[in-house]
Amino acid sequence: MKKTQKRSREGESSVEPPPSNHPLAKWFHANEDLIFYELRLAGRKEIPPRYLNPTLLDSHNFSHLKEMLNMQGLLDFMQIREKYYPELTSIAYATLGIESDSQDPSNFSMVFKLGRNTYNVHCSRLASIWKLPLDGCLFEGGKVPLEGWGYDKMRAMEMFNLTQNEKSKIPCQTMNDEYRTLLYLVTYVLEPRVSGHGNVADEDLVLMWAMVNEIKINWPFLILHHMLRIKGKDTSGGIGYLCLWTRIFNHLGVDVSNENVKHLNARCEINEATLHHMGRGKEEEAPPMALRGHPSPSSSSQEQPSMSDLMQVLQSIEYNMDQRFQRIEDNQARMETNQQNLSQQIQSLQQEQRKIWRSVRRVEAWTFDEDFDEDLDEDQD
């Protein structure tokens, strides 16, 4: 017998449809789903997709990280890159749910609706679409590890050379390059989030502990549950897994010809520039003043920066500028979306107002007719 984590409205006697003149009416069968989308998902910041350049692992001798990714079956998944559809993905999130077998939780499906179509993607098909294996622990993610993992937070922090600061945050700057790259993959690809990438969250620590200790994770199961957490966040949360949704739409044959589409750019690749942006090798770099051509008093005894050092600095500056421009573009797109949603709400209110006025006029006309009939009766008497 199957159970669904999101209550299904299949079989309900009546479902209130969205207003027919609403620009998104074709994507929603039920008005309550449209309302949920407008209140919780419309205008959310998209989490830019990231994909791994696998040569990075070999060029920096990240053999341990490569072994971990191979053991988890993640190398092909990490290299997924697709164009993506931010608005359509947000719409699909509005009705996302999971169906699972009560007798066998490993037998689960991804369920969502677009218009009158209900899509059910079985876990075996989901794993194939996302280039993932379908074995391992059924871990939903979060701060609480599964029993038998032997997880201890203090031991995990010692393993990754982490300390908690006075603000109860765990900054990642003390991690070595290989583990910081693992954290980057966790927070940008496996469980993407909008911000806070410079700190290690408890759920990051649990997941990295499992990977380092060769605990196999059922990744389709975890990712699908993380999608549900994304859906349940307030409007400050982001929309993640954009490329994964594209692969779902392509597999199901969803018509995306008229949808807003975005393409990946150079900033989406996890490569040498990414490592430099994370501060890799900062201790070996020349002092900033010397790099700017303003030697310090002791500069005569220091080596001049090499061309490689200068190129790394320039790449870092370019990366930071690209990030700022991307934030500006994201903010502008969010403002435009909010303006469109506001216009749509105003139009809906105006329509409701016209309906109310028409009803009032009908009641007034009906009352007038009754009063007129009463006056005639009195005159006849």
Side-chain angles (χ1 to χ4, degrees):
M1 180 179 180
K2 298 229 174 184
K3 63 178 182 180
T4 310
Q5 291 189 358
K6 178 183 183 299
R7 181 177 296 176
S8 173
R9 287 182 297 278
E10 296 283 348
E12 285 188 4
S13 57
S14 62
V15 174
E16 180 186 357
S20 59
N21 61 344
H22 195 286
L24 297 178
K26 71 172 184 176
W27 292 121
F28 291 96
H29 177 53
N31 193 43
E32 63 177 296
D33 293 332
L34 173 58
I35 293 173
F36 179 86
Y37 165 78
E38 291 181 330
L39 292 177
R40 301 293 295 274
L41 292 162
R44 272 207 213 176
K45 180 181 176 64
E46 64 191 60
I47 303 175
R50 297 285 191 268
Y51 65 91
L52 175 67
N53 184 338
T55 61
L56 181 70
L57 304 179
D58 296 322
S59 61
H60 292 280
N61 196 26
F62 287 167
S63 57
H64 189 198
L65 177 56
K66 188 173 183 178
E67 289 174 3
M68 281 189 283
L69 297 179
N70 272 323
M71 185 266 174
Q72 297 288 342
L74 287 171
L75 265 180
D76 289 338
F77 170 83
M78 290 288 179
Q79 299 172 60
I80 289 178
R81 42 183 174 174
E82 303 276 357
K83 57 186 178 182
Y84 58 96
Y85 307 88
E87 288 82 7
L88 183 58
T89 299
S90 298
I91 290 169
Y93 265 112
T95 56
L96 176 66
I98 300 177
E99 281 188 357
S100 59
D101 193 324
S102 58
Q103 304 299 321
D104 181 12
S106 65
N107 183 20
F108 61 92
S109 297
M110 175 190 202
V111 183
F112 66 97
K113 294 181 179 180
L114 290 175
R116 292 183 172 273
N117 296 318
T118 299
Y119 297 101
N120 187 307
V121 187
H122 189 261
C123 56
S124 58
R125 178 58 58 187
L126 203 60
S128 174
I129 295 170
W130 289 346
K131 300 182 180 181
L132 288 168
L134 193 61
D135 55 351
C137 298
L138 298 179
F139 179 50
E140 296 183 5
K143 303 177 181 180
V144 182
L146 297 179
E147 292 184 10
W149 280 17
Y151 174 79
D152 178 80
K153 182 175 179 179
M154 295 307 298
R155 286 171 54 202
M157 289 177 63
E158 290 177 4
M159 173 188 293
F160 297 111
N161 192 29
L162 296 168
T163 55
Q164 193 166 330
N165 62 22
E166 64 278 3
K167 297 181 180 179
S168 299
K169 301 288 187 180
I170 306 176
C172 66
Q173 284 76 13
T174 54
M175 301 174 75
N176 66 35
D177 295 338
E178 199 164 16
Y179 284 153
R180 284 194 69 180
T181 304
L182 172 61
L183 176 66
Y184 192 96
L185 296 175
V186 167
T187 59
Y188 277 98
V189 183
L190 294 174
E191 290 189 332
R193 58 177 181 249
V194 174
S195 60
H197 301 95
N199 294 311
V200 183
D202 287 343
E203 48 265 39
D204 304 332
L205 202 57
V206 170
L207 200 56
M208 291 192 299
W209 166 275
M211 296 177 71
V212 170
N213 285 281
E214 299 183 351
I215 299 173
K216 191 71 179 292
I217 305 292
N218 187 313
W219 293 104
F221 186 85
L222 184 145
I223 289 171
L224 201 48
H225 281 83
H226 191 64
M227 284 182 171
L228 284 182
R229 288 195 292 275
I230 288 175
K231 171 188 173 181
K233 290 181 180 293
D234 58 27
T235 53
S236 63
I239 296 296
Y241 300 117
L242 294 161
C243 291
L244 300 191
W245 276 99
T246 295
R247 295 182 69 85
I248 293 292
F249 298 148
N250 291 342
H251 173 75
L252 297 173
V254 176
D255 182 10
V256 296
S257 56
N258 296 320
E259 299 305 311
N260 177 35
V261 61
K262 291 190 176 182
H263 297 267
L264 303 185
N265 53 42
R267 294 188 297 269
C268 299
E269 183 179 82
I270 302 172
N271 52 25
E272 177 66 34
T274 310
L275 292 184
H276 185 75
H277 179 68
M278 291 191 297
R280 183 181 187 275
K282 183 182 291 185
E283 64 277 4
E284 289 85 17
E285 291 181 5
M289 292 298 288
L291 290 177
R292 294 189 176 96
H294 299 281
S296 61
S298 59
S299 63
S300 59
S301 61
Q302 296 176 349
E303 294 183 2
Q304 293 297 318
S306 66
M307 183 59 69
S308 175
D309 293 330
L310 292 173
M311 288 301 297
Q312 286 185 343
V313 173
L314 291 174
Q315 287 176 352
S316 179
I317 293 173
E318 181 183 8
Y319 184 87
N320 289 329
M321 290 179 64
D322 287 342
Q323 290 289 90
R324 291 177 182 177
F325 282 125
Q326 183 65 47
R327 285 195 292 269
I328 292 172
E329 292 173 359
D330 292 342
N331 289 335
Q332 183 179 4
R334 187 161 57 250
M335 290 174 63
E336 291 175 353
T337 302
N338 290 338
Q339 185 178 8
Q340 291 175 358
N341 292 335
L342 182 60
S343 299
Q344 294 165 7
Q345 292 173 4
I346 291 174
Q347 290 176 1
S348 298
L349 289 173
Q350 290 173 340
Q351 291 171 1
E352 291 297 325
Q353 185 182 33
R354 286 194 290 269
K355 290 180 181 178
I356 292 172
W357 277 113
R358 284 196 293 269
S359 300
V360 169
R361 291 193 187 99
R362 283 196 294 269
V363 170
E364 288 177 344
W366 177 74
T367 305
F368 175 79
D369 290 342
E370 280 199 338
D371 292 342
F372 182 74
D373 291 341
E374 290 177 0
D375 291 342
L376 285 178
D377 293 341
E378 290 176 358
D379 291 343
Q380 291 174 0
D381 292 341

